[in-house]
Amino acid sequence: MKALLIARRELAGYLRTLSGYVILAILLAVNGLFFNAYALGGASKRSAEVLSGFFYYSSGFTIVAAILVSMRLLAEERQTGTLPLLYASPVRDRDIVLGKFLAGLAFLALYLLLTLYMPLLVLVNGKVSFGHVAAGYLGLLLLGSASLAVGTFGSSLAKNQLLAAIFSAVMLVALILCWLLARITEQPLSDVFSAMSLWNQHFPPFQAGLIHVRDVVYYLVVTYVALFAATRVLEARRWR
């Protein structure tokens, strides 16, 4: 319950400030340009190919959105000196982390909802598989959740929002590039790095309209581990 109250307050903070709307506007504009130029553009394509292209580019923008949203979650509290006030309140550290994460996830879900018009444009000249759309958006939400959780962890480590964005980006790029390590290492290490890859191993099935339990579990595990780590960072700082 306390986590939900924190989430509501944090989400209201996003929606009251200009920065939240600027983030939405820029991401939607650039995503729309990519959709028009690459997903729709070029030679005639089947609807499934257009949707696959849309989810391919949108996955990248979702990760960027997660970094931009998460960088303020905890780092801003340290930057403005309000973190001791949170520690003094009768709220557990896990509620603080969970509440701020849920606010960021709600904002991210709003961004994804606003992109829905793009795949629906395919209906103008073709047919849309709503199962494909649903699977793709589930993948985007799960990818966004994992990226946001990693960003929350990065935000808990940083003294300001810029450092939080850098920490988060470095960790996410490292997870994305695990597939390269899988190609240059031998088993069983190659299998481990392949399984750890944030995008290459787990997102393409969603992009193609398929839902695999292993991919859902992977994103949920990454989300849990990152939030757990962020909670431990807050607990360590509380007792310094």
Side-chain angles (χ1 to χ4, degrees), residues 160-240:
N160 57 63
Q161 297 183 53
L162 178 59
L163 281 177
I166 293 172
F167 290 165
S168 303
V170 168
M171 288 187 284
L172 287 170
V173 168
L175 284 173
I176 291 171
L177 293 181
C178 278
W179 70 274
L180 283 176
L181 293 175
R183 294 181 63 179
I184 61 176
T185 55
E186 297 181 355
Q187 291 183 331
L189 276 180
S190 62
D191 293 335
V192 172
F193 285 127
S194 179
M196 289 174 59
S197 177
L198 185 70
W199 190 94
N200 190 266
Q201 180 71 16
H202 299 284
F203 188 78
F206 292 108
Q207 181 185 331
L210 303 173
I211 299 175
H212 294 158
V213 174
R214 67 174 183 271
D215 300 321
V216 174
V217 170
Y218 167 80
Y219 286 124
L220 293 178
V221 168
V222 170
T223 299
Y224 174 80
V225 170
L227 293 180
F228 180 82
T231 303
R232 290 294 173 263
V233 170
L234 281 194
E235 290 177 347
R237 285 219 173 90
R238 181 187 288 271
W239 299 112
R240 278 185 180 179

Side-chain angles (χ1 to χ4, degrees), residues 8-179:
R8 187 173 66 177
R9 188 201 68 177
E10 192 73 22
L11 182 60
Y14 274 114
L15 299 178
R16 280 198 305 264
T17 59
L18 182 62
S19 60
Y21 293 100
V22 169
I23 291 173
L24 282 176
I26 292 175
L27 288 172
L28 287 171
V30 179
N31 200 352
L33 288 174
F34 270 74
F35 175 69
N36 184 63
Y38 298 105
L40 287 178
S44 59
K45 301 177 181 178
R46 294 183 302 169
S47 298
E49 292 175 324
V50 175
L51 286 177
S52 181
F54 164 73
F55 289 123
Y56 174 81
Y57 292 109
S58 293
S59 64
F61 290 112
T62 300
I63 293 173
V64 172
I67 294 173
L68 294 176
V69 170
S70 64
M71 68 182 186
R72 62 164 283 180
L73 291 180
L74 293 167
E76 186 183 43
E77 302 285 358
R78 290 189 69 191
Q79 188 174 350
T80 58
T82 56
L83 191 59
L85 296 178
L86 280 178
Y87 285 151
S89 64
V91 181
R92 293 174 294 185
D93 294 320
R94 68 180 184 185
D95 290 328
I96 295 173
V97 171
L98 182 59
K100 287 181 171 290
F101 168 77
L102 289 176
L105 188 61
F107 190 82
L108 198 62
L110 174 62
Y111 159 69
L112 292 177
L113 182 63
L114 293 175
T115 67
L116 190 58
Y117 77 93
M118 297 183 213
L120 292 182
L121 284 176
V122 182
L123 282 172
V124 176
N125 295 310
K127 296 181 179 179
V128 171
S129 168
F130 290 100
H132 191 166
V133 173
Y137 270 98
L138 175 62
L140 289 177
L141 188 62
L142 288 169
L143 175 64
S145 174
S147 301
L148 186 69
V150 172
T152 304
F153 175 51
S155 187
S156 71
L157 296 171
K159 293 182 179 180
N160 57 63
Q161 297 183 53
L162 178 59
L163 281 177
I166 293 172
F167 290 165
S168 303
V170 168
M171 288 187 284
L172 287 170
V173 168
L175 284 173
I176 291 171
L177 293 181
C178 278
W179 70 274

